[in-house]
Amino acid sequence: MAASEAILEVRDIHTFIGQFHILEGVNVNLPRGSIGVLLGRNGAGKTTTLRTIMGITPPRSGEIRFEGQRLNGMRSFGVARLGIGYVPEHRAIFKGLTVRENLHIAERRSGDFARKADLIFDLFPDLKRLVHLPGGNLSGGQQQMLAIARALVPDNRLLLIDEPSEGLAPVIIEQLMHAIRRLSEQTTVLLVEQNFRMASQLADRYTIIDEGRSAVAGDMRDLVKDQALIQRYLGVA
Amino acid sequence: MRPNILVSVALLVAVVVFGYFLSPDLGSFGITLMSGLFQGMLLFLVASGLSIIFGLMDVLNFAQGAYFMVGAYVSYSVHHSPDVMAAIPDPNIRFFLSVISAVAVGAVLGGLLERFLLRPLYARPIFQIVLTFGVAIVMTEAVEFIWSTTPYSWTVLFSLRDQSFQLFGQSFGVYRLVVIGIGFALIILIGLLLQRTRIGIIIRAGVEDREMVEALGINVRMVFTLVFTIGCAVASFGGAIAAPFLGASAGLANLFLLSAIAVVVLGGMGSYAGTAMGSLLLGLALAVMQVFAGKPQIGLPVLASMTPMMLMILVLLVRPGGLFGKGR
Ligand SMILES: Nc1ncnc2c1ncn2[C@@H]1O[C@H](COP(=O)(O)OP(=O)(O)O)[C@@H](O)[C@H]1O
Ligand SMILES: [Mg+2]
C-alpha cells in the first residue's frame, strides 16, 4: 500500500476560463515519492491543469484529492496550506522584493525559512550571495532557482513545477535537474516540461495532455521506447 | 543619481525657486513654503491610502476623500460637543480624543465598505469604481443629514492651535508645523511598515502579483480588508488634524481627491516613494500657484485649481510611467 499510495488524484476535471472550455476531462494519478510529468503540445492545457489543482482556476466538475482530501471549492491559499508548493511558468518571483524577502514571504509558520536555509542554499549555492539583491536583478536561471527555493521554504509534500527549463541555457538546466532530483527525495513532484530529454531523465510517470484531455499515462520508461506515441502527441523524436 | 530621484529633485527645486521669486520678502516666502508643506502632508494622508489600495487591489477608491471629510466632522463635533466639553474640559486632551475618535470611525467605515460592499465585486473592477463613487456621494449626503449643509468653522482653540512664532516679520502658526511634522513622521512610519514588516512585504508582493501571493498560502482578502481599513483610517486622521484649520464641510470630500488621484498617477502607480514625493511636490506647487494666481497682474484663480492636472501632465511628459513608476 505505502509504495503505491496516490498523493494526488485528479479525476475527470473540466475547467472553464470565461466561457472557454479549456480542460475537457483530465486525469492524473501520482504516487507518493515519485516525479510525474505532464507532457503535451503548447496550449494543450498543462498549465491550466496545475492552476486548477491549485484552485486558481477551479474546476467546474470532476474531483481533485490531495492525500485523500478533496480540494474542490478551496481557494488557492487553502490548497497551498495543505502542503502544496507552486512554481508557476515564467518564474513568477517578486521582482521588487529581495531574494531574502522572496523566501521569507513563503513562510507558513515563523521560522520556516531559518529551518530550511541550509537545504535551500545547499541546493542553490548561487542564491546565498544574492540574498540582498532585488529578484528582478537576477538572471533567468537564478530567478528559476529562487522560484523553486521559495516553494521549499514551508514543509510542502507536493511541488507543482511548470516548465522550469523554459528559456534557460543547458548548463543551468543540468543544475536544475540535479536540484529537482535531490528535492524529490523528500517531496513528490509534478512537473510540466516541454524539454523531453529533461522530462524523460527526471520523471517516473507521465501523463500526456492533448487538447484539454489526458490522452495517455504510464511509466516513463515505456514512453521513451514508444517512438510512435511520442511522435503522435509531442512531435519530437 | 537615478532618474526618478533626479527628476523629482529638479521639479522640487524648480517649484521652490519659482516660489522664491514670487515672494516680495523672506517672510512671505516662508509662509508659502509652510502652506505648501502643510497641503502636501494632508494630500499625502489621502493619497497614500488611495495609492496602496489601487496598487494592491486595483480599486480606485473615489470615497477616499469622503473619509477625510468624515474625519473632519467627527473631530469637529467631538471637540465642540457640549457633553464632551463638560466631561473633558481640557481642550488639548479633548482634541486628542477627537482625533482618536475620527480615526476609529474612519477605520470602521473603511473596513465595512471593503468587507461587505467591495468584496462581492472583485471579479468586476468597473462595478467597484462605480460603487466607491456612489459611496462617496452617500457619505456626503449622510454627513449633511447628520450635521447640516452649512460648513462649520473651528471655534474652540487648544494650546497648539493657538500659538504662533515670529520669523522674518511674519507670524507662523505652530500647529501647521506640528501637522507637517506628523506628516513626515507618518511618511517614514508607513514606509518602514512596508519595508520591514511581514505584512508590508506581503503588500509589496501583492502589488506585483496577487495571485502568486495567494498561491503561497496567504489569504489575500484578509490583507485587502486590513489595507483598506488602514487606508481609510489614515484619510480620516488627515481630516481630523486638518479640521482646526479647514473646519468641517462637505466640500472637504473633494478638496484633495482630484489632487490625490493626480499624485498617484504622477508618483507612479503603486509606488509608495512616488506617492510621498508626489504629495510633497504637488503640495508645494499648489501653494506657489495659489500665490502666483492671486497676483493682481495675473488674477487667474483658476490656475491654482488646474495645478494638479498641469503637474501631472508635465511629469508624464518627462517620465511616462510617473516619477517612481516603471518607465515605459
Ligand atoms: N486566460 C485565458 N483565456 C482564454 N484562454 C486561455 C486562457 N489561459 C489559457 N487559455 C487557453 O487554454 C489552453 C491551454 O492553455 P495552457 O494550459 O496554458 O497550455 P499549456 O500550458 O499546455 O501550453 C490554450 O489554448 C490557451 O490558449
Ligand atoms: Mg504552459
Side-chain angles (χ1 to χ4, degrees):
Chain A
M1 179 70 208
S4 63
E5 174 212 4
I7 190 170
L8 178 75
E9 295 164 278
V10 175
R11 231 177 271 143
D12 195 28
I13 49 169
H14 288 246
T15 299
F16 287 74
I17 298 179
Q19 72 267 45
F20 301 106
H21 196 166
I22 307 288
L23 298 187
E24 309 177 18
V26 169
N27 295 280
V28 181
N29 208 299
L30 196 61
R32 187 185 290 277
S34 63
I35 301 183
V37 64
L38 302 181
L39 299 168
R41 296 193 182 89
N42 255 327
K46 305 178 297 294
T47 295
T48 308
T49 301
L50 295 192
R51 288 165 61 83
T52 301
I53 296 169
M54 278 313 291
I56 299 170
T57 51
R60 191 169 291 181
S61 65
E63 190 177 58
I64 306 168
R65 283 183 184 272
F66 171 66
E67 299 183 331
Q69 178 169 357
R70 252 177 85 94
L71 305 187
N72 298 55
M74 291 179 70
R75 292 188 29 226
S76 65
F77 77 92
V79 173
R81 281 181 192 178
L82 293 177
I84 303 183
Y86 178 45
V87 183
E89 63 185 342
H90 316 308
R91 5 193 139 95
I93 57 150
F94 304 109
K95 295 190 166 59
L97 266 54
T98 64
V99 168
R100 178 187 292 282
E101 287 170 336
N102 265 284
L103 295 169
H104 256 290
I105 193 177
E107 289 192 339
R108 272 178 219 139
R109 288 175 302 151
S110 71
D112 273 349
F113 174 53
R115 272 192 293 279
K116 294 295 184 63
D118 285 346
L119 168 79
I120 288 171
F121 294 135
D122 190 35
L123 280 175
F124 306 112
D126 281 9
L127 291 182
K128 192 162 190 166
R129 57 184 173 80
L130 303 171
V131 284
H132 297 296
L133 282 188
N137 290 15
L138 271 51
S139 70
Q142 291 164 341
Q143 291 189 7
Q144 187 64 66
M145 290 173 191
L146 178 57
I148 296 174
R150 188 175 59 185
L152 299 178
V153 169
D155 287 317
N156 286 320
R157 292 184 302 286
L158 172 64
L159 298 183
L160 311 177
I161 309 181
D162 200 344
E163 298 213 30
S165 73
E166 191 193 16
L168 298 182
V171 277
I172 310 285
I173 296 180
E174 282 303 322
Q175 282 182 36
L176 282 174
M177 280 176 60
H178 177 69
I180 291 173
R181 199 173 283 126
R182 274 194 55 201
L183 63 89
S184 76
E185 290 161 12
Q186 294 169 30
T187 57
T188 311
V189 177
L190 180 58
L191 211 58
V192 167
E193 193 45 73
Q194 294 273 23
N195 179 332
F196 187 72
R197 203 182 60 82
M198 177 171 180
S200 60
Q201 288 181 21
L202 275 179
D204 312 304
R205 316 245 336 138
Y206 74 90
T207 299
I208 292 178
I209 307 211
D210 193 48
E211 296 183 356
R213 291 186 182 84
S214 45
V216 201
D219 197 310
M220 197 70 210
R221 283 167 304 192
D222 299 333
L223 179 64
V224 177
K225 286 179 263 170
D226 195 338
Q227 288 301 322
L229 196 61
I230 297 176
Q231 264 305 331
R232 175 160 170 216
Y233 287 111
L234 308 174
V236 288
Chain B
M1 257 199 290
R2 286 181 309 185
N4 48 16
I5 314 259
L6 197 71
V7 174
S8 311
V9 171
L11 284 170
L12 267 181
V13 169
V15 169
V16 171
V17 168
F18 185 47
Y20 178 78
F21 284 111
L22 283 178
S23 314
D25 54 70
L26 270 182
S28 36
F29 176 54
I31 294 277
T32 309
L33 274 188
M34 187 116 137
S35 156
L37 291 174
F38 179 73
Q39 294 183 63
M41 291 309 156
L42 294 180
L43 187 50
F44 169 77
L45 296 178
V46 178
S48 55
L50 196 70
S51 159
I52 296 176
I53 289 169
F54 181 75
L56 181 66
M57 303 157 64
D58 291 337
V59 175
L60 189 55
N61 181 22
F62 277 106
Q64 204 78 25
Y67 283 86
F68 183 89
M69 168 195 73
V70 165
Y73 271 96
V74 172
S75 149
Y76 174 88
S77 46
V78 171
H79 193 75
H80 292 80
S81 141
D83 294 341
V84 183
M85 276 185 175
I88 309 168
D90 183 336
N92 299 301
I93 299 177
R94 201 166 65 244
F95 179 64
F96 186 71
L97 184 78
S98 312
V99 174
I100 304 260
S101 317
V103 170
V105 170
V108 169
L109 289 179
L112 289 176
L113 169 58
E114 197 284 333
R115 181 65 188 79
F116 294 104
L117 297 178
L118 282 176
R119 188 173 285 192
L121 294 177
Y122 278 110
R124 300 172 171 163
I126 304 291
F127 284 51
Q128 286 182 323
I129 292 184
V130 176
L131 178 83
T132 65
F133 205 79
V135 167
I137 295 171
V138 170
M139 281 170 70
T140 307
E141 293 294 324
V143 155
E144 291 186 335
F145 176 77
I146 297 172
W147 285 278
S148 90
T149 49
T150 345
Y152 294 104
S153 49
W154 197 275
T155 50
V156 182
L157 297 182
F158 46 97
S159 55
L160 273 180
R161 175 65 182 89
D162 214 10
Q163 285 166 16
S164 58
F165 61 92
Q166 301 292 318
L167 196 67
F168 304 122
Q170 291 278 0
S171 159
F172 291 81
V174 170
Y175 186 68
R176 265 184 209 266
L177 265 190
V178 170
V179 170
I180 294 168
I182 291 175
F184 271 112
L186 268 176
I187 288 181
I188 291 168
L189 189 76
I190 298 176
L192 282 177
L193 188 105
L194 286 171
Q195 280 305 318
R196 297 285 163 83
T197 65
R198 174 163 174 85
I199 188 77
I201 294 176
I202 291 174
I203 291 170
R204 285 187 289 134
V207 169
E208 274 190 48
D209 188 346
R210 249 171 3 207
E211 191 179 278
M212 191 59 228
V213 171
E214 179 123 2
L216 291 175
I218 295 160
N219 187 351
V220 172
R221 286 191 196 163
M222 258 167 63
V223 180
F224 281 9
T225 310
L226 182 73
V227 165
F228 208 90
T229 303
I230 295 176
C232 291
V234 168
S236 279
F237 176 76
I241 62 172
F245 270 105
L246 305 177
S249 64
L252 291 181
N254 294 322
L255 182 62
F256 289 111
L257 183 62
L258 190 67
S259 297
I261 293 173
V263 162
V264 172
V265 176
L266 75 86
M269 297 280 192
S271 160
Y272 176 74
T275 303
M277 180 57 89
S279 300
L280 201 62
L281 186 59
L282 181 51
L284 286 166
L286 279 169
V288 169
M289 289 304 277
Q290 281 151 4
V291 173
F292 179 68
K295 295 251 171 216
Q297 313 90 294
I298 309 292
L300 266 177
V302 70
L303 272 182
S305 50
M306 281 165 59
T307 306
M309 290 305 124
M310 292 196 302
L311 186 66
M312 186 178 90
I313 292 166
L314 180 72
V315 168
L316 294 186
L317 283 177
V318 188
R319 286 183 62 82
L323 287 175
F324 285 69
K326 311 261 176 301
R328 250 167 282 158

